[in-house]
Amino acid sequence: MGDWAESVLSRALSEDSGLRFRAIQYGDTGSLSAGDPNFKERYLASLEETRILGKRPDLLLVDNSLAAPSDISQAPRSEADAIARKSLAAIEVRSSKQQAIKYMKVKADEGGKAGKAGLSFTVKVEDLRIVHRWIETCDVPQYYFQVFFDSVFAIDVLDIFKAISERDGIAIEKPDKSQNKATIMIPITKGRQVASFVSPPTFSVEIRENRLGRIDTYVVPVGGDLSLDSQAIKETLGV
């Protein structure tokens, strides 16, 4: 889900002719698994890097004139951060299995409050410090983009911190899908809709085999086309 959401959003941002920037992959895309060679050393090194420098957001938005690779996720941290400091903004991509617009319409028809009960930007409590540390380290604004199956909503990370400090409509849960980690749920109505799907993704089965021969199967979204609201994007990002 996360890989798909990053891919479909990155493509839409880079191909929109109404924007003067493109998206590049910045967050780590490596697949480190227990049992891999040197797993412990690499895992601990990654934790220490994040503790000191902050959590790398998934995408960077860079001016079209900037000479930078489309993927710097595996570049040394010093090189990646040098490019990050030249970016216009950073995006942490979150995914959801929900259709947000349909959900809100049904809730409205039933007289319920659409901004609550599940439609949220999701932020893990343990991530707050390392997200803020990255912003301090690179001095670049960061945004959360929540990708639903019919739309995309965005919010400034600073607005997330403000909502938390004011306890403004937020809830804290420990969902099973997040390994019961404390997660802050911020209603998407605190953000802004910035895109809609003009064609939804299809679904296929993906098969993965680990080094010991275990076969795992997953249903994954494939494709889908986003139509960005360029003006909403610009106003949200301030660019």
Side-chain angles (χ1 to χ4, degrees), residues 22 62-69 83 86:
R22 68 188 190 281
V62 299
D63 193 280
N64 287 329
S65 63
L66 182 67
I83 294 174
K86 299 176 183 177

Side-chain angles (χ1 to χ4, degrees), residues 75-150:
R77 184 65 187 257
S78 59
E79 294 179 16
D81 281 2
I83 294 174
R85 291 186 179 93
K86 299 176 183 177
S87 65
L88 303 172
I91 295 176
E92 179 70 14
V93 183
R94 310 295 292 172
S95 60
S96 173
K97 296 178 182 178
Q98 185 70 50
Q99 295 180 78
I101 305 304
K102 181 175 182 178
Y103 176 94
M104 290 190 286
K105 183 179 184 304
V106 171
K107 282 291 186 181
D109 290 344
E110 294 176 348
K113 294 183 179 181
K116 298 181 185 252
L119 283 186
S120 307
F121 295 100
T122 54
V123 185
K124 292 178 183 176
V125 171
E126 66 181 26
D127 283 349
L128 292 175
R129 180 175 296 177
I130 52 179
V131 166
H132 188 266
R133 184 158 295 150
W134 183 87
I135 295 173
E136 285 188 319
T137 298
C138 291
D139 193 25
V140 172
Q142 184 178 153
Y143 302 82
Y144 268 56
F145 276 51
Q146 195 83 24
V147 179
F148 297 94
F149 277 136
D150 60 359

